[in-house]
Amino acid sequence: MKLISVGDILDVTALENQHGKFFENPSALELLLYVNGMTAKDVARASIEKIDLQCLTEGRVAYVADISGMPNIISHLVAVPRMRDYPYPIWLDYDGASTKQLPVKEGNVSVIDIEQGKITNMEFISEESILTKRLISRCGKGINRN
């Protein structure tokens, strides 16, 4: 299977969040953050902590994580229950099928711009400050956040 590229349609409807809900409004999606590894997860979460979370809860920005490499017992008994404490949705790929077409660069967050379902730009960001600036430009700063 080939990786997605600019101009392709991105389908996120098979993803479930940490509460077991499917992506409700894919037409609202403007930006997808994809993490595949602990370093990228840390960068993404640190940046998300500094923005207005409404863009995530409304589905304009989606934070997607591939947890297919995690043992089922760990994901179901530990990881996903912990994720339920986060005040924003984390879209999970349990089996790797939904994210296998997404580009990955070790230690980077894959940042995918979307307009009307089509990919318009893709980049890899490894620095929290750069990702935070990018997210603030789209979402605004969070209340009581840096």
Side-chain angles (χ1 to χ4, degrees), residues 129-146:
S129 62
I130 293 170
L131 183 59
T132 300
K133 185 176 180 180
R134 182 98 148 62
L135 289 174
I136 287 174
S137 73
R138 175 125 3 209
C139 302
K141 280 190 180 181
I143 299 169
N144 296 325
R145 295 189 171 103
N146 303 347

PDB file of all heavy atoms in Angstrom, residues 129-146:
ATOM      1  N   SER A 129       8.434  23.819  20.117  1.00  0.00           N
ATOM      2  CA  SER A 129       8.154  25.243  19.884  1.00  0.00           C
ATOM      3  C   SER A 129       7.582  25.494  18.489  1.00  0.00           C
ATOM      4  O   SER A 129       6.671  26.315  18.322  1.00  0.00           O
ATOM      5  CB  SER A 129       9.419  26.081  20.087  1.00  0.00           C
ATOM      6  OG  SER A 129      10.421  25.693  19.156  1.00  0.00           O
ATOM      7  N   ILE A 130       8.059  24.771  17.498  1.00  0.00           N
ATOM      8  CA  ILE A 130       7.565  24.942  16.121  1.00  0.00           C
ATOM      9  C   ILE A 130       6.135  24.405  16.018  1.00  0.00           C
ATOM     10  O   ILE A 130       5.257  25.048  15.437  1.00  0.00           O
ATOM     11  CB  ILE A 130       8.504  24.249  15.113  1.00  0.00           C
ATOM     12  CG1 ILE A 130       9.855  24.972  15.092  1.00  0.00           C
ATOM     13  CG2 ILE A 130       7.885  24.212  13.719  1.00  0.00           C
ATOM     14  CD1 ILE A 130      10.933  24.256  14.316  1.00  0.00           C
ATOM     15  N   LEU A 131       5.886  23.233  16.600  1.00  0.00           N
ATOM     16  CA  LEU A 131       4.544  22.664  16.560  1.00  0.00           C
ATOM     17  C   LEU A 131       3.572  23.543  17.344  1.00  0.00           C
ATOM     18  O   LEU A 131       2.454  23.792  16.888  1.00  0.00           O
ATOM     19  CB  LEU A 131       4.535  21.236  17.112  1.00  0.00           C
ATOM     20  CG  LEU A 131       3.183  20.522  17.056  1.00  0.00           C
ATOM     21  CD1 LEU A 131       2.657  20.436  15.628  1.00  0.00           C
ATOM     22  CD2 LEU A 131       3.284  19.146  17.687  1.00  0.00           C
ATOM     23  N   THR A 132       3.993  24.043  18.495  1.00  0.00           N
ATOM     24  CA  THR A 132       3.127  24.905  19.300  1.00  0.00           C
ATOM     25  C   THR A 132       2.751  26.161  18.515  1.00  0.00           C
ATOM     26  O   THR A 132       1.573  26.544  18.482  1.00  0.00           O
ATOM     27  CB  THR A 132       3.822  25.280  20.621  1.00  0.00           C
ATOM     28  OG1 THR A 132       4.094  24.081  21.348  1.00  0.00           O
ATOM     29  CG2 THR A 132       2.950  26.203  21.463  1.00  0.00           C
ATOM     30  N   LYS A 133       3.714  26.779  17.865  1.00  0.00           N
ATOM     31  CA  LYS A 133       3.436  27.980  17.073  1.00  0.00           C
ATOM     32  C   LYS A 133       2.427  27.659  15.965  1.00  0.00           C
ATOM     33  O   LYS A 133       1.498  28.420  15.709  1.00  0.00           O
ATOM     34  CB  LYS A 133       4.748  28.517  16.482  1.00  0.00           C
ATOM     35  CG  LYS A 133       4.607  29.815  15.752  1.00  0.00           C
ATOM     36  CD  LYS A 133       5.973  30.313  15.293  1.00  0.00           C
ATOM     37  CE  LYS A 133       5.832  31.620  14.547  1.00  0.00           C
ATOM     38  NZ  LYS A 133       7.118  32.127  14.094  1.00  0.00           N
ATOM     39  N   ARG A 134       2.619  26.530  15.326  1.00  0.00           N
ATOM     40  CA  ARG A 134       1.723  26.106  14.238  1.00  0.00           C
ATOM     41  C   ARG A 134       0.312  25.879  14.758  1.00  0.00           C
ATOM     42  O   ARG A 134      -0.672  26.278  14.142  1.00  0.00           O
ATOM     43  CB  ARG A 134       2.291  24.824  13.627  1.00  0.00           C
ATOM     44  CG  ARG A 134       1.535  24.265  12.477  1.00  0.00           C
ATOM     45  CD  ARG A 134       2.179  24.697  11.173  1.00  0.00           C
ATOM     46  NE  ARG A 134       2.073  23.759  10.094  1.00  0.00           N
ATOM     47  CZ  ARG A 134       0.927  23.357   9.549  1.00  0.00           C
ATOM     48  NH1 ARG A 134      -0.210  23.782  10.000  1.00  0.00           N
ATOM     49  NH2 ARG A 134       0.951  22.520   8.542  1.00  0.00           N
ATOM     50  N   LEU A 135       0.201  25.247  15.923  1.00  0.00           N
ATOM     51  CA  LEU A 135      -1.116  24.966  16.498  1.00  0.00           C
ATOM     52  C   LEU A 135      -1.788  26.235  17.028  1.00  0.00           C
ATOM     53  O   LEU A 135      -3.002  26.399  16.867  1.00  0.00           O
ATOM     54  CB  LEU A 135      -1.002  23.919  17.607  1.00  0.00           C
ATOM     55  CG  LEU A 135      -0.702  22.510  17.139  1.00  0.00           C
ATOM     56  CD1 LEU A 135      -0.475  21.587  18.333  1.00  0.00           C
ATOM     57  CD2 LEU A 135      -1.806  21.969  16.258  1.00  0.00           C
ATOM     58  N   ILE A 136      -1.019  27.122  17.631  1.00  0.00           N
ATOM     59  CA  ILE A 136      -1.597  28.376  18.121  1.00  0.00           C
ATOM     60  C   ILE A 136      -2.138  29.196  16.955  1.00  0.00           C
ATOM     61  O   ILE A 136      -3.195  29.813  17.067  1.00  0.00           O
ATOM     62  CB  ILE A 136      -0.578  29.161  18.965  1.00  0.00           C
ATOM     63  CG1 ILE A 136      -0.405  28.474  20.325  1.00  0.00           C
ATOM     64  CG2 ILE A 136      -1.001  30.621  19.136  1.00  0.00           C
ATOM     65  CD1 ILE A 136       0.678  29.064  21.205  1.00  0.00           C
ATOM     66  N   SER A 137      -1.448  29.165  15.809  1.00  0.00           N
ATOM     67  CA  SER A 137      -1.931  29.916  14.651  1.00  0.00           C
ATOM     68  C   SER A 137      -3.274  29.368  14.167  1.00  0.00           C
ATOM     69  O   SER A 137      -4.088  30.092  13.604  1.00  0.00           O
ATOM     70  CB  SER A 137      -0.907  29.910  13.517  1.00  0.00           C
ATOM     71  OG  SER A 137      -0.852  28.643  12.896  1.00  0.00           O
ATOM     72  N   ARG A 138      -3.545  28.106  14.410  1.00  0.00           N
ATOM     73  CA  ARG A 138      -4.790  27.481  13.968  1.00  0.00           C
ATOM     74  C   ARG A 138      -5.853  27.498  15.065  1.00  0.00           C
ATOM     75  O   ARG A 138      -7.030  27.646  14.776  1.00  0.00           O
ATOM     76  CB  ARG A 138      -4.498  26.041  13.543  1.00  0.00           C
ATOM     77  CG  ARG A 138      -5.700  25.283  13.182  1.00  0.00           C
ATOM     78  CD  ARG A 138      -5.819  24.623  11.870  1.00  0.00           C
ATOM     79  NE  ARG A 138      -4.731  24.661  10.961  1.00  0.00           N
ATOM     80  CZ  ARG A 138      -4.904  24.627   9.658  1.00  0.00           C
ATOM     81  NH1 ARG A 138      -6.128  24.585   9.171  1.00  0.00           N
ATOM     82  NH2 ARG A 138      -3.887  24.628   8.840  1.00  0.00           N
ATOM     83  N   CYS A 139      -5.438  27.333  16.321  1.00  0.00           N
ATOM     84  CA  CYS A 139      -6.394  27.137  17.421  1.00  0.00           C
ATOM     85  C   CYS A 139      -6.459  28.292  18.412  1.00  0.00           C
ATOM     86  O   CYS A 139      -7.429  28.404  19.145  1.00  0.00           O
ATOM     87  CB  CYS A 139      -6.008  25.884  18.212  1.00  0.00           C
ATOM     88  SG  CYS A 139      -5.957  24.377  17.245  1.00  0.00           S
ATOM     89  N   GLY A 140      -5.411  29.068  18.487  1.00  0.00           N
ATOM     90  CA  GLY A 140      -5.315  30.094  19.522  1.00  0.00           C
ATOM     91  C   GLY A 140      -4.688  29.519  20.777  1.00  0.00           C
ATOM     92  O   GLY A 140      -4.576  28.305  20.938  1.00  0.00           O
ATOM     93  N   LYS A 141      -4.255  30.421  21.653  1.00  0.00           N
ATOM     94  CA  LYS A 141      -3.661  29.990  22.924  1.00  0.00           C
ATOM     95  C   LYS A 141      -4.756  29.524  23.860  1.00  0.00           C
ATOM     96  O   LYS A 141      -5.866  30.024  23.824  1.00  0.00           O
ATOM     97  CB  LYS A 141      -2.907  31.153  23.580  1.00  0.00           C
ATOM     98  CG  LYS A 141      -1.553  31.396  23.007  1.00  0.00           C
ATOM     99  CD  LYS A 141      -0.805  32.387  23.856  1.00  0.00           C
ATOM    100  CE  LYS A 141       0.565  32.640  23.285  1.00  0.00           C
ATOM    101  NZ  LYS A 141       1.325  33.571  24.108  1.00  0.00           N
ATOM    102  N   GLY A 142      -4.371  28.595  24.690  1.00  0.00           N
ATOM    103  CA  GLY A 142      -5.313  28.112  25.677  1.00  0.00           C
ATOM    104  C   GLY A 142      -5.424  29.073  26.842  1.00  0.00           C
ATOM    105  O   GLY A 142      -4.507  29.830  27.127  1.00  0.00           O
ATOM    106  N   ILE A 143      -6.556  29.036  27.493  1.00  0.00           N
ATOM    107  CA  ILE A 143      -6.763  29.856  28.685  1.00  0.00           C
ATOM    108  C   ILE A 143      -5.869  29.315  29.785  1.00  0.00           C
ATOM    109  O   ILE A 143      -5.801  28.107  30.019  1.00  0.00           O
ATOM    110  CB  ILE A 143      -8.240  29.818  29.112  1.00  0.00           C
ATOM    111  CG1 ILE A 143      -9.095  30.379  27.967  1.00  0.00           C
ATOM    112  CG2 ILE A 143      -8.477  30.578  30.411  1.00  0.00           C
ATOM    113  CD1 ILE A 143     -10.578  30.147  28.155  1.00  0.00           C
ATOM    114  N   ASN A 144      -5.184  30.214  30.467  1.00  0.00           N
ATOM    115  CA  ASN A 144      -4.242  29.841  31.533  1.00  0.00           C
ATOM    116  C   ASN A 144      -3.147  28.911  31.053  1.00  0.00           C
ATOM    117  O   ASN A 144      -2.691  28.055  31.760  1.00  0.00           O
ATOM    118  CB  ASN A 144      -4.975  29.189  32.712  1.00  0.00           C
ATOM    119  CG  ASN A 144      -5.931  30.137  33.374  1.00  0.00           C
ATOM    120  OD1 ASN A 144      -5.675  31.335  33.475  1.00  0.00           O
ATOM    121  ND2 ASN A 144      -7.061  29.614  33.824  1.00  0.00           N
ATOM    122  N   ARG A 145      -2.774  29.079  29.775  1.00  0.00           N
ATOM    123  CA  ARG A 145      -1.677  28.282  29.221  1.00  0.00           C
ATOM    124  C   ARG A 145      -0.631  29.239  28.670  1.00  0.00           C
ATOM    125  O   ARG A 145      -0.913  30.359  28.329  1.00  0.00           O
ATOM    126  CB  ARG A 145      -2.182  27.361  28.109  1.00  0.00           C
ATOM    127  CG  ARG A 145      -3.153  26.317  28.633  1.00  0.00           C
ATOM    128  CD  ARG A 145      -3.443  25.309  27.544  1.00  0.00           C
ATOM    129  NE  ARG A 145      -4.190  24.218  28.084  1.00  0.00           N
ATOM    130  CZ  ARG A 145      -5.485  24.049  27.923  1.00  0.00           C
ATOM    131  NH1 ARG A 145      -6.180  24.903  27.207  1.00  0.00           N
ATOM    132  NH2 ARG A 145      -6.115  23.037  28.454  1.00  0.00           N
ATOM    133  N   ASN A 146       0.603  28.747  28.531  1.00  0.00           N
ATOM    134  CA  ASN A 146       1.701  29.606  28.071  1.00  0.00           C
ATOM    135  C   ASN A 146       1.549  29.973  26.624  1.00  0.00           C
ATOM    136  O   ASN A 146       1.553  29.250  25.749  1.00  0.00           O
ATOM    137  CB  ASN A 146       3.036  28.894  28.285  1.00  0.00           C
ATOM    138  CG  ASN A 146       3.223  28.517  29.745  1.00  0.00           C
ATOM    139  OD1 ASN A 146       2.496  28.993  30.616  1.00  0.00           O
ATOM    140  ND2 ASN A 146       4.187  27.676  30.005  1.00  0.00           N
TER     141      ASN A 146
END
